[in-house]
Amino acid sequence: MSRIRVAVAGASGRMGREVVKMVLQDPELELVAAVSRTSDPQLDAGRLVGLDPCGIFMSNDLELALVEGKPDVLVDFTAPQSAAQHTAMAIRHKVRPVMGTTGFTPEDIANLDEQCKQQGIGGIIAPNFSIGAILMMKFAAQAAKYMPHLEIIEYHGDQKLDAPSGTAVKTAELISQNRQELRQGNPKEEETIEGARGGLYNGFRIHSVRLPGVFAQQEVIFGAFGQTLKIRHDSYDRAGYMPGVNVAVKKVMEFTGLVYGFEHFID
């Protein structure tokens, strides 16, 4: 059985390095390109992640890497402003995108899904590849059927570019599938400091905390008469996302069209 050929965009970033390491250590996968706008083109990708040289040198040109490397799959952990462009580029070259980058609009997702179908390939956009985080989202969506009053608080480091996080948005979307829109709190409520109550989504609030020293946590708090329920997930290391990325790289070879959300691969 031939190995799945993988290109990694954002390879010199903190998530990208973990992906490169994961690919190099899986005998079913083959690293064929490692792309970063800022890396030394003489640097071996194996050396980049503290492993033995692998013979794949860093590239700063994604399209050239797709043409020359001929990957089956592109794993992308870059930046929100380049996410849709990179996905479309991969699809154009019949490379299956596995996107850990956020920043897609519903229109982007619909258009990219159609492009995947036209090319006869699969793709996935996942705001979070952590299996624990996906379970948190599923449990929260289930709880919302019975406790519709809720708020989401998500915590990330102060260098994160988007707020709320893609995980918080995806959680809110899943909750909204099980919960009719409901205006919570006092109808005469007034913010004396703008933004104090957080962002409003489908009648409930999302709060984004950005502080140095924080990695990635999220909790969904439910309130009802005489009780509260808190569902929380904490990530402590980027390596915790890699089992999910590994599953996505292999699953994306089996279907056509673009899947939004890693929860589709979790029973």
Side-chain angles (χ1 to χ4, degrees), residues 124-188:
I124 178 171
I125 297 169
N128 199 314
F129 282 102
S130 165
I131 293 172
I134 298 304
L135 292 173
M136 175 268 296
M137 295 181 203
K138 285 181 169 283
F139 297 156
Q142 179 71 9
K145 294 179 182 179
Y146 307 98
M147 302 180 74
H149 292 264
L150 66 111
E151 301 206 3
I152 297 173
I153 307 175
E154 55 96 353
Y155 310 77
H156 283 84
D158 61 343
Q159 298 305 301
K160 184 169 178 58
L161 299 178
D162 54 330
S165 69
T167 299
V169 173
K170 185 63 179 177
T171 305
E173 291 171 350
L174 292 176
I175 286 171
S176 296
Q177 293 173 11
N178 290 340
R179 172 191 178 277
Q180 291 185 342
E181 184 167 352
L182 170 68
R183 278 285 171 165
Q184 299 178 180
N186 193 314
K188 296 182 179 180

Side-chain angles (χ1 to χ4, degrees), residues 24 28 37 49 54 94 109 121 171 193 209 217 235 265:
L24 290 174
E28 297 181 25
R37 291 182 302 172
V49 299
C54 64
K94 295 190 175 183
I109 294 169
I121 61 174
T171 305
I193 299 177
V209 177
Q217 294 87 35
S235 292
F265 300 150

Side-chain angles (χ1 to χ4, degrees), residues 236-258:
Y236 301 106
D237 193 290
R238 290 172 180 83
Y241 298 101
M242 291 307 107
V245 176
N246 187 283
V247 168
V249 168
K250 294 169 182 177
K251 286 284 188 181
V252 81
M253 301 294 294
E254 301 175 0
F255 60 87
T256 300
L258 187 70

Side-chain angles (χ1 to χ4, degrees), residues 183-251:
R183 278 285 171 165
Q184 299 178 180
N186 193 314
K188 296 182 179 180
E189 178 182 83
E190 180 181 352
E191 287 183 332
T192 57
I193 299 177
E194 184 180 356
R197 289 289 292 117
L200 184 65
Y201 185 99
N202 203 37
F204 58 89
R205 300 287 181 171
I206 303 177
H207 307 265
S208 296
V209 177
R210 298 289 179 267
L211 289 171
V214 177
F215 185 57
Q217 294 87 35
Q218 179 172 294
E219 59 183 326
V220 187
I221 305 172
F222 298 87
F225 291 112
Q227 61 179 319
T228 61
L229 170 67
K230 295 181 180 180
I231 300 174
R232 178 175 173 126
H233 177 260
D234 296 82
S235 292
Y236 301 106
D237 193 290
R238 290 172 180 83
Y241 298 101
M242 291 307 107
V245 176
N246 187 283
V247 168
V249 168
K250 294 169 182 177
K251 286 284 188 181

Side-chain angles (χ1 to χ4, degrees), residues 94-110:
K94 295 190 175 183
V95 178
R96 297 159 179 82
V98 172
M99 306 300 294
T101 308
T102 56
F104 294 88
T105 66
E107 293 76 19
D108 289 335
I109 294 169

